[in-house]
Amino acid sequence: KWLNLLPPIMNAVDPIMHGSAIQRGNIYSYTTENYKMTNNQKYHPGFYGDQQTLSMATLPTGITVYTTHPARLECDETPGYFAGFGVAPDAVQDKNVLMSIYNIPSKKIALASGDTVQYTHTLFSKELMDEVILDGKYAFGRVGDSYIALIGAGELSYLPYNQEQVDSLKLPVSDTTKEYDLVQHGAEQFWIYELGSNTEDGTFADFRARIKSNKVTFENFSLTYETSGRTLKNVYDGAFTIDGAAVNVDYKRFESEYITEERKASVFDFAFAGHTLTLDFKNASRVSE
């Protein structure tokens, strides 16, 4: 019975291990021929992470875009400037849209070497993309016929070039005029990603105009975004809804065309193209046909 007391005690003292552990995740991924985006839905908002990356958009040629809150300004160990994070957002994704809300504390966070960094930043390299346009709270990128839009609560801007960061990321940039580190200042803020393409949106100019016409509201850590005929709402540490209907982001262990099974099941039955595989962990058996 004493073991039952361990979870509440651990939550109360909030030890460093909370952030170091790779905890249970609810992974959502959306892929088209033009882009891919993946998110760990509502992964422990407010916690720090040692090496995790919670969300990522991928454009052609392997270009990645992701946002973090830096745990430290240094890059020599984790959690650091780009690896891991100081504070996790409350992030949700539906298809090509990602919505992340940040609540950055003023107090010193776990493993930070100094004061808590009061901004978030996004790897958004001008060097790697064919076209990048900054417009106040908006940033737009194009790689071939694939598009990405970023929307912030405040104005977005690039930080000066930093060779240590470039080396840690292994970015192919060496010119001090190059820009890659897009930041947003403020303790209470959000980032919205929306991906598109020439096939879906027409020209890059058409895509930018559509995104800027979308309605965004952010109040009391509640973020609402209206786009492509649907209304997405994310409440920090609360519900995620689409057109008013609650979205379940607590997934089963497997939910695919090959298998559907609960998280703590001991037997897993896979099936594909007339073949089956049964894994029985309780009895340590493996049967395939």
Side-chain angles (χ1 to χ4, degrees), residues 70-171:
R72 305 182 307 127
L73 297 180
E74 298 80 13
C75 303
D76 55 342
E77 57 186 60
T78 60
Y81 191 67
F82 271 107
F85 47 85
V87 172
D90 187 318
V92 294
Q93 179 186 342
D94 179 62
K95 298 180 180 177
N96 63 328
V97 176
L98 173 75
M99 302 166 64
S100 302
I101 304 173
Y102 283 87
N103 183 15
I104 303 172
S106 58
K107 66 179 181 179
K108 185 176 179 180
I109 58 177
L111 299 186
S113 57
D115 295 336
T116 303
V117 177
Q118 293 296 301
Y119 64 77
T120 58
H121 65 148
T122 298
L123 178 61
F124 200 69
S125 175
K126 278 189 175 182
E127 172 78 3
L128 300 180
M129 297 189 192
D130 295 324
E131 190 174 358
V132 169
I133 296 175
L134 259 60
D135 185 0
K137 298 179 182 180
Y138 296 84
F140 300 94
R142 180 182 65 81
V143 180
D145 290 331
S146 299
Y147 313 143
I148 182 170
L150 308 181
I151 309 172
E155 185 166 335
L156 309 179
S157 60
Y158 279 105
L159 287 182
Y161 181 90
N162 183 300
Q163 188 64 52
E164 179 191 7
Q165 294 169 8
V166 169
D167 292 342
S168 71
L169 290 166
K170 297 181 171 57
L171 288 175

Side-chain angles (χ1 to χ4, degrees), residues 207-218:
F207 173 72
R208 299 196 310 271
R210 181 178 69 79
I211 295 298
K212 292 194 68 175
S213 71
N214 290 342
K215 184 178 180 180
V216 181
T217 58
F218 183 54

